[in-house]
């Protein structure tokens, strides 16, 4: 954990999913706490930002694991009712190492309810990050818009084919928030699943719609970030050690960018460039270990010296 004080820095609220990843591969079967929004929340906390996660967590053994994990990481959880229990993803890895996901009923029917505590946390936050939200459910989108009205937003649609019930409705819901966001993150997978696969065209579309900044990530091809200051790009970072797991790289990228927006907001094109390059370093570090837990180049160096932390 960073030694910097987080008490005076703006807090961040993350809204989205929390689940158990049941990983099945040649090494056997094992379970990790995960979820895109959960990964972003934990990543922000590890980068020195006071963070609250609003997510559906069941009153069951899986939910207990999720709550314990978030407590250990210093993330405040505001849970929302989970009538079908905690979400679970069965993750299969193919020969190329890329994961495929199968989601349980709880994940497919996930829902967010904004309690009084949730509304107060959102109102007090310097930034609200939305990731892997059920944008294809109009009532959920309406509640989200009402709860986040007037706040500074960062939005990552992060659709999952196994949880997507209506593609056109998802796009409609996502694009109701995107134009009002401080930054929107989209990836090549998002462009392929939701649009026509052209990531550059999607970035332009979102900018033209009114988004203040758009971060477009393309895996090994790096990323492009366009804002009112201009356009910057960065390749995938080259770091020592082999790539172990790409799961969580996009979440780590979003966490690093969100942390930069609240801790040291970019004021010009070079500021945006530095922010993007740092995010790519963090994403590459996260890929050096299994699971979605955010790592930094500094934490990798400390681990090599036998010093463990964030």
């Amino acid at each position: 954990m960073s030694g910097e004080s987080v008490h005076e820095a703006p807090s961040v609220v993350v809204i989205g999913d929390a689940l158990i990843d049941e990983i099945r591969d040649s090494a056997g079967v094992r379970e990790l706490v995960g979820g895109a929004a959960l990964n972003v929340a934990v990543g922000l906390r590890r980068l020195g930002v006071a963070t609250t996660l609003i997510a559906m967590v069941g009153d069951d053994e899986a939910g207990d694991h999720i709550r314990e994990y978030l407590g250990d990481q210093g993330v405040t959880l505001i849970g929302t009712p989970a009538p079908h229990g905690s979400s679970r993803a069965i993750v299969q890895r193919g020969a190329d190492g890329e994961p495929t996901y199968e989601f349980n009923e709880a994940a497919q029917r996930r829902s967010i309810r904004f309690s009084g505590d949730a509304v107060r946390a959102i109102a007090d936050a310097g930034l609200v990050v939305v990731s892997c939200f059920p944008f294809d459910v109009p009532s959920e989108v309406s509640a989200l818009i009402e709860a986040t009205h007037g706040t500074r937003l960062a939005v990552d649609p992060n659709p999952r084919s196994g949880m997507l019930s209506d593609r056109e409705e998802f796009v409609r819901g996502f694009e109701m928030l995107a134009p009002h966001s401080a930054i929107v993150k989209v990836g090549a997978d998002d462009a392929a699943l939701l649009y026509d696969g052209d990531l550059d065209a999607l970035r332009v579309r979102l900018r033209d719609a009114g988004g203040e900044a758009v971060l477009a990530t393309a895996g090994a091809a790096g990323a492009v970030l366009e804002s009112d200051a201009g356009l910057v790009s960065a390749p995938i970072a080259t770091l020592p050690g082999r790539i172990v797991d790409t799961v969580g790289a996009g979440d780590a990228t979003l966490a690093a960018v969100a942390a930069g927006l609240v801790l040291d907001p970019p004021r010009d094109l070079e500021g945006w460039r530095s922010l993007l390059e740092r995010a790519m370093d963090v994403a590459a570090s996260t890929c050096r270990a299994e699971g979605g837990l955010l790592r930094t180049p500094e934490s990798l160096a400390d681990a090599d010296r036998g010093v463990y932390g964030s």
Side-chain angles (χ1 to χ4, degrees):
M1 183 70 65
S2 169
E4 297 179 12
S5 171
V6 299
H7 299 296
E8 296 181 2
S11 63
V12 173
V13 168
V14 182
I15 302 170
D17 62 329
L19 50 76
I20 297 294
D21 284 321
E22 182 180 316
I23 301 172
R24 302 178 180 181
D25 57 19
S26 58
V29 179
R30 57 206 176 280
E31 296 186 353
L32 297 173
V33 174
L38 181 145
N39 288 339
V40 173
V42 171
L44 278 159
R45 188 64 189 91
R46 290 171 65 84
L47 292 172
V49 180
T51 307
T52 296
L53 173 66
I54 301 173
M56 189 187 75
V57 179
D59 185 15
D60 49 25
E61 184 177 356
D64 291 342
H65 289 315
I66 293 170
R67 281 184 282 269
E68 181 181 12
Y69 178 80
L70 290 170
D72 289 345
Q73 295 294 333
V75 174
T76 299
L77 172 66
I78 298 178
T80 193
H84 303 286
S86 294
S87 299
R88 176 176 292 267
I90 297 175
V91 186
Q92 303 266 12
R93 293 195 190 281
D96 60 357
E98 288 299 312
T100 59
Y101 298 87
E102 180 181 340
F103 296 95
N104 69 352
E105 182 183 14
Q108 293 176 31
R109 300 177 66 178
R110 68 202 190 283
S111 176
I112 301 290
R113 293 290 177 265
F114 295 97
S115 64
D117 286 344
V119 171
R120 284 186 288 273
I122 289 169
D124 291 340
L127 182 71
V128 175
V129 181
V130 181
S131 181
C132 204
F133 186 85
F135 284 111
D136 49 356
V137 182
S139 60
E140 298 282 335
V141 176
S142 295
L144 175 65
I145 291 172
E146 181 178 356
T148 61
H149 179 72
T151 63
R152 194 172 182 223
L153 286 172
V155 178
D156 182 355
N158 218 334
R160 297 286 187 266
S161 59
M163 291 194 285
L164 186 64
S165 62
D166 188 324
R167 173 181 171 273
E168 291 185 2
E169 192 62 54
F170 191 101
V171 169
R172 187 178 298 112
F174 162 57
E175 292 192 353
M176 289 179 70
L177 258 75
H180 309 290
S181 301
I183 191 162
V184 178
K185 175 191 171 294
V186 288
D189 290 346
D190 304 332
L193 186 58
L194 298 177
Y195 295 89
D196 61 2
D198 189 332
L199 183 58
D200 286 336
L202 177 55
R203 171 177 51 81
V204 172
R205 173 182 176 137
L206 294 171
R207 276 287 291 161
D208 287 347
E212 293 181 31
V214 178
L215 169 63
T217 61
V224 172
L225 199 162
E226 184 176 358
S227 68
D228 290 344
L231 188 146
V232 296
S233 62
I236 194 75
T238 302
L239 296 176
R242 69 183 183 89
I243 294 176
V244 174
D245 188 356
T246 59
V247 172
D251 303 330
T253 303
L254 180 58
V257 169
L261 290 179
V262 296
L263 296 177
D264 187 18
R267 294 173 175 81
D268 53 27
L269 192 61
E270 285 310 305
W272 284 107
R273 187 185 310 280
S274 296
L275 178 59
L276 179 59
E277 290 175 350
R278 173 61 175 174
M280 298 305 285
D281 284 345
V282 169
S285 301
T286 301
C287 292
R288 264 60 186 178
E290 184 178 44
L293 183 64
L294 181 145
R295 273 86 172 177
T296 65
E298 296 80 13
S299 69
L300 295 181
D302 285 343
D304 287 341
R305 294 194 296 269
V307 178
Y308 296 93
S310 62

